[in-house]
């Protein structure tokens, strides 16, 4: 049952793509907030058909996401970095633009 709920939440709430998975979901009833922690589970990154070895992960970032009922929702992730021919780069996340602290789904609702 718990896995079914988690799968439903992934489909409804998050644009999680290959390589990303929900690590933990915390609900703070008092603050009416949902905190979704994601992790990148691959050791290589493919960009434009080229594969790069994972270099490390940046410190954890936080994005404001689409509300779940009356609860504010936040996404947390340590975004991986890789070394390309042009130097060290950070992987783009599938839920927000670079340097943005708000997810695409939340921006669409405004």
């Amino acid at each position: 049952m718990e896995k079914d709920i988690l799968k439903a939440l992934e489909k409804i709430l998050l644009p999680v793509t290959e390589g990303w998975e929900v690590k933990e979901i915390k609900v703070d009833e008092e603050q009416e907030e949902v905190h979704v922690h994601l992790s990148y589970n691959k050791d290589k990154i493919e960009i434009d058909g080229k594969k790069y070895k994972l270099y490390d992960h940046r410190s954890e970032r936080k994005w404001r996401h689409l509300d779940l009922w009356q609860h504010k929702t936040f996404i947390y992730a340590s975004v991986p970095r890789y070394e390309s021919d042009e130097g060290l780069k950070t992987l783009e996340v599938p839920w927000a633009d670079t340097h943005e602290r708000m997810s695409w789904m939340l921006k669409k609702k405004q």
Side-chain angles (χ1 to χ4, degrees), residues 40 43-47 50-58 79-92:
Y40 193 78
D43 59 352
K44 292 193 178 182
I45 297 169
E46 187 170 338
I47 307 289
K50 286 187 174 181
K51 289 188 179 182
Y52 300 99
K53 190 175 181 181
L54 196 66
Y55 181 78
D56 67 2
H57 288 81
R58 296 182 59 115
V79 182
R81 295 193 305 170
Y82 62 97
E83 193 163 4
S84 74
D85 302 335
E86 298 148 14
L88 205 55
K89 296 201 169 209
T90 301
L91 182 67
E92 291 183 19

Side-chain angles (χ1 to χ4, degrees), residues 19-98:
W20 290 99
E21 66 183 5
V22 176
K23 184 169 72 172
E24 181 178 32
I25 298 174
K26 293 180 183 177
V27 178
D28 182 338
E29 291 292 341
E30 191 173 302
Q31 296 294 317
E32 294 189 335
E33 294 177 348
V34 176
H35 302 272
V36 181
H37 295 264
L38 302 177
S39 63
Y40 193 78
N41 60 11
K42 296 193 172 223
D43 59 352
K44 292 193 178 182
I45 297 169
E46 187 170 338
I47 307 289
D48 297 328
K50 286 187 174 181
K51 289 188 179 182
Y52 300 99
K53 190 175 181 181
L54 196 66
Y55 181 78
D56 67 2
H57 288 81
R58 296 182 59 115
S59 57
E60 187 174 71
R61 290 181 59 191
K62 176 181 173 182
W63 294 264
R64 180 72 168 82
H65 192 52
L66 196 59
D67 290 346
L68 182 59
W69 298 289
Q70 78 274 16
H71 290 65
K72 290 181 182 176
T73 305
F74 300 92
I75 298 173
Y76 300 83
S78 296
V79 182
R81 295 193 305 170
Y82 62 97
E83 193 163 4
S84 74
D85 302 335
E86 298 148 14
L88 205 55
K89 296 201 169 209
T90 301
L91 182 67
E92 291 183 19
V93 296
W95 56 84
D97 288 324
T98 306

